Amino acid sequence: MPLASDQQTHIPGTADLDNPLYYLENFETVVRWVRRFHSDLLTADEIGKVDGLLSLDQPARALLARMVMRTGDLFRVEKFNYPEIGVPVNDAVSALATKGWIEDNPSVPLAELFRLFTLGELRTALANQISAAGLPATAAKGLLKDTLIPLHPDIAPVDLWLPDVSTQVIRLNHMALFDRLRLMFFGNLRQSWSDFVLVELGHQQYEQVPLSAESRAFDERDDVDRYLVMHHCRERLDQGEAPETVWQDIPTANENAWLESRRGRLLFELGKLSERGGNTELALKAYRLSGHRESRLRQLRLLERLKQHHEAWKIAQAADEPRFGAEERGLERILTRLAKKLGEALPQQSERPQLTAFTLELDNPDGHSVEWAAMQHLSEPDTPVAYVENTLINGLFGLLCWPALFEPLPGAFFHPFHTGPVDLYREDFVERRQALFDDCLGTLASGNYKTRIRDTWQEKQGIASPFVIWPILSEELLEMALTCIPAQHLERMFRRLLGNLREHRSGFPDLIRFRPDHNDPNRRYEMIEVKGPGDRLQDHQTRWLEFCVDHGIPVSVCYVRWTDR
């Protein structure tokens, strides 16, 4: 049965690594999950195969799981070493062959044998072919491949290729079905079965996100098929196929926003390859159709190079909101160059704020990091200093915005074992949750934010989050931060975070110094970036520091020098 619209999910039992068949339990968790919640996206034949898989005897299921996890679909039976399945491996192989899950002695191209067999085995078995090709008996494996494969392009059963080698080669059937199951569970084909099957899920707590029919990324089978087509297109590009031929097979746009974001990434990659190959017309077309965060900047730079300055100016002028941090400065530089070439007024250049800096000369007999040494030096009983770097502000944001981050929107969660939404860095992540984030940040103005953050800290303690590092965000640090950091400052930093979660979640100053007794509420804390000898500010750090200065958030840069002693 597919997931009903009002049906909520719970986290199924997870395997213990003390069980030698834990990988089988996790493998079957995936299969059962898809069978239960996505059966309407499977054909009757696929459902029959899944049910048949689950009805196999345990040794056969275990061997099948082992093969699915491995690379490729061809295996040498004599290389299997899985004593935990409890029976001779040949018995499990026979059971799988009887049910059609494997093919014995399959026909293969010669190239596959070079992957499966050692050089010594191949030299013996292919001695006649090696001699006929005029190669020495001691030829290297690479030379044998380059010479023999073009001479023998046809496929043949393994025992005909290698009649004198004692071996049993089998092929795992229905890999397309396993890829489909993996896609519907993970939401991508980047993650392998091993990413899930070979971990002890019970050691991590996961947010129990209620999944319903409305929250699925794949609304219908055609969505799965479209993803698989795009994945195959990307593989073809990666294997060196011409972008012009792959372009013909890229699906047209559709209404599934999650799939459209993946299509945008595919178009962006095709555009880059077309540009490198000199097909600038196709590159520009791909960039225009792609909503990828970097596509507009690539398009503008290419138009500049092609001296299509008027077209570039028009697009750059219409770019009302940068898609990512680096694009803002990239657009400024492009507009400045284009304005000079076209005789247009130069864009207004914002003045860079002055950063406050100071220097410390410190001993370091124990070899601590500069951040730790500076923290120890600056800490006083009345002004404690914590080494937090990117953890504190991100953590406060994650606690306050927990409901928005874990809202089960389509394409955000595929199974119960996510540490966060899988669309976290997608271009429309915030837009799709704008009302939810507005509600969370609205508590900063009403004063309810402290209660919400404290309650979330207590209720969600230890549950995986992309923003909260529980061992660092102690209750003491949390309370000091809520006491000393004004709500207005938190809101300004949180809104910048939401502007680009991928880039802005890093670059925060290393230390925070609290002054809980300071009379000015805006000066009850100070964030301090620490730089050691020879170190310099990185661009993303500078952007955060300048943002803080522009918005009245107290920051400074501490340069540490070690004493000669």
Side-chain angles (χ1 to χ4, degrees):
M1 292 283 292
L3 194 66
S5 61
D6 60 347
Q7 186 177 1
Q8 294 189 358
T9 62
H10 66 281
I11 297 180
T14 54
D16 188 338
L17 285 182
D18 291 335
N19 175 8
L21 290 173
Y22 77 95
Y23 63 87
L24 176 60
E25 292 187 34
N26 287 349
F27 174 76
E28 291 181 352
T29 292
V30 175
V31 176
R32 294 181 191 279
W33 176 268
V34 177
R35 173 66 177 90
R36 180 181 178 189
F37 298 122
H38 298 293
S39 60
D40 58 320
L41 305 182
L42 298 172
T43 65
D45 179 64
E46 289 167 343
I47 291 174
K49 286 186 172 64
V50 169
D51 291 344
L53 182 161
L54 295 172
S55 67
L56 291 168
D57 289 340
Q58 186 181 82
R61 299 199 315 272
L63 180 59
L64 184 64
R66 283 291 192 184
M67 288 191 290
V68 170
M69 284 189 292
R70 289 175 58 167
T71 302
D73 60 358
L74 292 172
F75 307 96
R76 296 177 63 180
V77 173
E78 64 270 18
K79 296 295 184 180
F80 288 153
N81 182 26
Y82 304 126
E84 79 280 355
I85 68 175
V87 300
V89 70
N90 286 324
D91 292 351
V93 168
S94 297
L96 292 174
T98 300
K99 296 296 184 179
W101 286 103
I102 61 171
E103 177 186 359
D104 192 14
N105 193 32
S107 294
V108 298
L110 182 59
E112 288 287 358
L113 302 185
F114 281 91
R115 186 179 67 82
L116 291 169
F117 293 89
T118 66
L119 177 58
E121 290 171 324
L122 291 170
R123 281 174 174 168
T124 300
L126 300 176
N128 292 336
Q129 292 92 326
I130 293 172
S131 176
L135 297 174
T138 56
K141 197 171 188 177
L143 179 58
L144 293 180
K145 287 176 63 176
D146 294 342
T147 305
L148 297 181
I149 290 175
L151 295 176
H152 303 278
D154 297 330
I155 63 172
V158 174
D159 60 1
L160 290 183
W161 283 120
L162 309 174
D164 299 323
V165 176
S166 177
T167 185
Q168 182 182 7
V169 174
I170 59 175
R171 170 180 280 129
L172 175 62
N173 294 329
H174 312 307
M175 277 305 297
L177 172 60
F178 289 115
D179 285 341
R180 188 176 288 268
L181 296 176
R182 179 162 58 98
L183 171 58
M184 287 189 284
F185 185 81
F186 286 117
N188 65 75
L189 288 172
R190 180 186 68 259
Q191 290 176 271
S192 70
W193 286 93
S194 298
D195 292 336
F196 180 84
V197 173
L198 296 180
V199 298
E200 187 172 14
L201 301 171
H203 278 185
Q204 176 68 69
Q205 297 181 61
Y206 303 91
E207 176 70 352
Q208 296 192 41
V209 178
L211 301 177
S212 67
E214 289 75 20
S215 67
R216 297 194 308 182
F218 298 114
D219 296 324
E220 51 193 49
R221 184 178 177 86
D222 182 62
D223 291 338
V224 184
D225 292 338
R226 288 173 65 85
Y227 187 105
L228 291 169
V229 170
M230 289 190 290
H231 178 75
H232 183 51
C233 287
R234 180 58 189 268
E235 285 184 326
R236 289 161 61 192
L237 289 174
D238 292 343
Q239 291 164 5
E241 187 172 336
E244 291 78 7
T245 58
V246 176
W247 167 263
Q248 305 299 323
D249 297 326
I250 294 180
T252 57
N254 80 340
E255 296 179 356
N256 188 314
W258 177 72
L259 283 175
E260 275 304 287
S261 72
R262 305 201 70 90
R263 180 173 173 270
R265 273 180 257 176
L266 174 61
L267 288 167
F268 179 66
E269 291 303 318
L270 185 140
K272 289 197 298 182
L273 291 171
S274 300
E275 185 178 350
R276 290 171 195 161
N279 191 340
T280 56
E281 181 180 355
L282 180 57
L284 288 173
K285 188 182 295 186
Y287 291 149
R288 277 196 296 268
L289 293 175
S290 171
H292 188 273
R293 65 179 70 242
E294 298 179 41
S295 60
R296 183 165 55 194
L297 211 53
R298 290 289 294 225
Q299 180 188 8
L300 289 171
R301 287 169 177 161
L302 179 54
L303 287 170
E304 254 196 306
R305 188 159 57 84
L306 296 174
K307 301 189 184 307
Q308 298 181 28
H309 299 139
H310 287 283
E311 178 68 13
W313 176 261
K314 179 181 176 182
I315 294 171
Q317 285 283 78
D320 53 346
E321 193 69 34
R323 291 175 181 163
F324 70 114
E327 188 184 46
E328 183 174 4
R329 302 213 170 166
L331 283 172
E332 284 182 5
R333 288 191 286 267
I334 288 173
L335 282 169
T336 299
R337 292 195 300 267
L338 291 173
K340 292 177 180 178
K341 291 172 182 174
L342 298 174
E344 300 284 353
L346 292 175
Q348 186 75 27
Q349 296 290 330
S350 56
E351 188 173 338
R352 304 280 292 274
Q354 186 70 34
L355 300 179
T356 300
F358 64 96
T359 301
L360 293 178
E361 188 167 317
L362 303 176
D363 289 331
N364 191 25
D366 298 323
H368 291 304
S369 67
V370 289
E371 296 87 357
W372 183 266
M375 179 191 72
Q376 293 289 88
H377 177 82
L378 294 171
S379 286
E380 299 289 346
D382 295 334
T383 56
V385 178
Y387 182 11
V388 295
E389 201 171 8
N390 299 313
T391 59
L392 179 57
I393 302 303
N394 277 318
L396 295 173
F397 169 81
L399 292 173
L400 181 66
C401 298
W402 195 283
L405 294 169
F406 287 96
E407 178 70 12
L409 297 180
F413 299 92
F414 289 82
H415 55 76
F417 307 101
H418 286 297
T419 58
V422 298
D423 64 334
L424 182 63
Y425 299 130
R426 209 173 73 187
E427 286 77 2
D428 62 349
F429 176 79
V430 176
E431 179 185 348
R432 295 206 300 155
R433 300 162 174 81
Q434 193 62 64
L436 293 166
F437 280 117
D438 287 343
D439 176 71
C440 293
L441 298 188
T443 62
L444 291 163
S446 68
N448 294 330
Y449 73 98
K450 293 183 180 181
T451 299
R452 178 175 291 199
I453 288 175
R454 290 187 181 109
D455 289 348
T456 305
W457 189 90
Q458 291 286 350
E459 179 185 348
K460 305 297 184 181
Q461 186 68 220
I463 295 177
S465 162
F467 292 97
V468 183
I469 309 300
W470 294 107
I472 294 178
L473 193 57
S474 65
E475 187 170 14
E476 181 183 11
L477 176 60
L478 178 71
E479 288 302 325
M480 187 64 75
L482 292 178
T483 298
C484 295
I485 305 176
Q488 301 94 318
H489 292 184
L490 290 176
E491 180 174 5
R492 289 164 187 164
M493 288 187 281
F494 291 170
R495 291 200 180 279
R496 184 171 192 267
L497 258 178
L498 288 172
N500 189 325
L501 287 168
R502 182 190 295 274
E503 292 193 8
H504 295 169
R505 64 179 301 163
S506 63
F508 288 99
D510 300 302
L511 310 180
I512 184 166
R513 175 161 53 185
F514 297 109
R515 299 188 181 98
D517 297 327
H518 200 287
N519 293 329
D520 183 351
N522 290 324
R523 294 288 166 181
R524 286 180 179 162
Y525 77 105
E526 176 191 14
M527 294 191 291
I528 304 170
E529 177 64 31
V530 181
K531 290 298 174 188
D535 199 4
R536 65 177 183 83
L537 292 171
Q538 303 299 308
D539 287 344
H540 67 303
Q541 295 171 331
T542 300
R543 285 195 287 271
W544 258 118
L545 292 167
E546 291 179 349
F547 172 86
C548 290
V549 173
D550 282 339
H551 292 83
I553 297 171
V555 291
S556 61
V557 182
C558 170
Y559 292 98
V560 173
R561 296 176 183 171
W562 302 123
T563 60
D564 292 340
R565 182 169 59 85

